[in-house]
Amino acid sequence: MKRIVTIQDISCVGKCSLTVALPIISATGVEAAIIPTAVLSTHTMFKNFTCKDLDDQILPIAEHWKNEGITFDAFYTGYLASAKQIDKVITLINSLKRDKDLVIIDPAMADNGKLYPAFDENFPREMARLCAEADIVLPNITEACYMTDTPYREEYDEAFAKEVMEKLAAQGAKKVVLTGAQFGGKYGVMLYDSETKEYYNYYQEKIDAAFHGTGDIFSSTFTGLLVRGKSIEESIAVAADYTAECIRITKNDDKANWYGVDFERAIPYLIDRM
Ligand code: PXL
């Protein structure tokens, strides 16, 4: 059985990061091992959330795994609690990764032109160092702009999206998957492969709703499917369609919570698409 280790926070309520990654990776038929980077009472869109940084656990966990000979087919990181975790995550990957294992980095730190509340202006530079180590990075346009020192634009064209993706790839990531790409009436996910210099675009119908945690749903589904053996293009398409289905279900339910999408109700859809 394939095994992914996913490194991100656990927000006890909020439907994001590990509470999304665990069930979704399991649903793709891949084992999910975890390193919680922090424990938060809720995600950071709630007011007055608590946060305990688990930074001092990252390297002892890695060392124990190394001694036990535990291996992973992919290292998938999401929300990291602080800049000081970046070097630890890089050390962990360098210590445990074999040549064939994948490194997939979702630089979960910003959206809609703004950093999440817990991060300062220096954090994107640190996150860019981690992204430089990746086989695949999964930013949205805000994150891609922050990491490449490109002024964010609310509206942009395909040429701008390509420019930012190529800048990010020039910093070291082999493939860039841009989520929530939006221009000229089109909406979807773009892939740039720096080795072949080729692009693949997967366009979707834009649903007029925005919810928290959709990036984590996309990234967890994409990573699970890719490790399970689907092609990168198919992993993008199914992950994008599943995320859209989650948004559709949540939007159509007026009793849905504000803080995250009801990805649970669309798991049968995901299984059908596998
Ligand atoms: O979904 C990204 C995410 C993950 N973890 C925490 C967050 C967020 C986004 O705000 O606050 C704690």
Side-chain angles (χ1 to χ4, degrees), residues 9 11 16-17 40 42-45 79 108 116 212-213 216:
D9 75 278
S11 291
C16 66
S17 40
L40 292 88
T42 62
H43 62 54
T44 62
M45 300 296 128
Y79 187 104
Y116 293 149
H212 207 65
D216 299 341

Side-chain angles (χ1 to χ4, degrees), residues 71-75 96-103 135:
T71 56
F72 302 97
D73 300 285
F75 296 80
L96 294 173
K97 181 185 159 348
R98 302 161 299 174
D99 282 350
K100 61 183 176 166
D101 302 333
L102 287 173
V103 177
D135 293 295

Side-chain angles (χ1 to χ4, degrees), residues 26-60:
S26 300
T28 65
V30 175
E31 179 181 342
I34 62 168
I35 295 189
T37 55
V39 182
L40 292 88
S41 51
T42 62
H43 62 54
T44 62
M45 300 296 128
F46 283 82
K47 291 200 188 83
N48 305 321
F49 59 88
T50 68
C51 179
K52 169 77 177 163
D53 194 315
L54 297 176
D55 162 61
D56 63 356
Q57 295 302 300
I58 297 173
L59 292 180

